[in-house]
Amino acid sequence: MFRHAIVRRPADNFADGLTSAQLGHPDLSVALSQHAAYCRALEACGLELIPLPADIQHPDSTFVEDTAVLTTQSAILARPGAVSRRGEVAGIRETIGCFFPSIREIAAPGTLDAGDVCEAGSHFFIGISHRTNQAGAGQLSRWLAADGFTSSLVDIRGLGSILHLKSGIAYLDNNDLVVMEELAGREEFSGYHLIRVPAEESYACNCVLINGRVLMPAGFPRLEEDLARRQYEPLPLEMSEFRKMDGGLSCLSLRF
Ligand code: CIR
């Protein structure tokens, strides 16, 4: 059960953020209305929003999920792999300070983008990516173990198609794991019920279960039907402008 969500509206220079997607230039006004609709959806799921002001110093700062791993026990601040994103963490530290008495952090030489961290009940999958290195993953794994959580590493560096582990998997409930085709055969996921997402719908793997609803990107009918058939309640949201910046749906909020 989540109660809160931290969100940060896109800054005017949102389009100057990092991206490898070749989907064109994002339209700020469309991004703002998609962001507003996303916020309304979070509220409809019963979450109280903690809205942060746009941060012009950090064009990628709307992707708040990457800055911290929040568990039922503690908060671990990330150390983003992209230098241009490191400064985003300070604002999040301040925001979560009043909610989490103990805050830990990933330290150099470790790097970790929390978009590489997928919570699956009491287990966490940690992606080793071009943003998250072994040192960062190892530190996180030790902090999680101290709180009684297990974790395992999933190396995604060979997959050119995804930025973060959570671009390709999402844990829902009851051992159900949404997974992109390229990751479906991985040994790491063999104990789960896999909800396989066809290649043409891969972007929709990044969905998130919030208090009974599954927020997912709009325009991916096969996954939407599959989720509905499994008694999940999909709530599709337009994400086109965030996708242009390599952003998934989950990375627009930090839920706890
Ligand atoms: C970046 O490259 O860091 C941002 N433009 C997108 C980050 C998206 N984060 C995520 O999917 N967890």
Side-chain angles (χ1 to χ4, degrees), residues 18 60 63 65-66 85 115 131 163-164 167 245-248 251:
L18 303 169
D60 279 313
F63 302 116
E65 186 187 54
D66 290 325
R85 299 200 60 189
R131 299 285 179 89
L163 176 64
H164 291 125
S167 318
M245 300 308 295
D246 281 345
C251 54

Side-chain angles (χ1 to χ4, degrees), residues 69-84:
V69 177
L70 305 180
T71 76
T72 49
Q73 307 298 316
S74 63
I76 300 126
L77 292 169
R79 183 167 182 271
V83 176
S84 66

Side-chain angles (χ1 to χ4, degrees), residues 183-250:
L183 286 171
R186 292 285 183 101
E187 176 63 30
E188 295 94 320
F189 306 134
S190 57
Y192 292 81
H193 305 138
L194 300 186
I195 301 179
R196 300 169 77 118
V197 178
E200 68 278 13
E201 293 205 358
S202 254
Y203 177 70
C205 288
N206 181 271
C207 54
V208 59
L209 176 69
I210 302 182
N211 303 343
R213 302 295 308 266
V214 178
L215 274 58
M216 64 172 291
F220 300 94
R222 289 179 65 182
L223 180 62
E224 192 178 332
E225 279 162 30
D226 198 355
L227 292 175
R229 202 171 44 244
R230 293 167 194 262
Q231 313 305 322
Y232 287 106
E233 273 190 73
L235 199 172
L237 293 166
E238 294 297 338
M239 284 287 130
S240 62
E241 305 315 290
F242 299 102
R243 187 179 186 185
K244 290 175 184 170
M245 300 308 295
D246 281 345
L249 178 149
S250 72

Side-chain angles (χ1 to χ4, degrees), residues 126-144:
I126 309 173
I128 301 293
S129 68
H130 296 298
R131 299 285 179 89
T132 296
N133 65 15
Q134 293 277 355
Q139 290 174 33
L140 177 63
S141 174
R142 287 189 288 280
W143 290 128
L144 291 171

Side-chain angles (χ1 to χ4, degrees), residues 149-170:
F149 298 113
T150 55
S151 60
S152 53
L153 304 184
V154 183
D155 193 337
I156 58 160
R157 286 172 296 185
L159 294 182
S161 54
I162 53 172
L163 176 64
H164 291 125
L165 178 61
K166 288 215 306 192
S167 318
I169 66 168

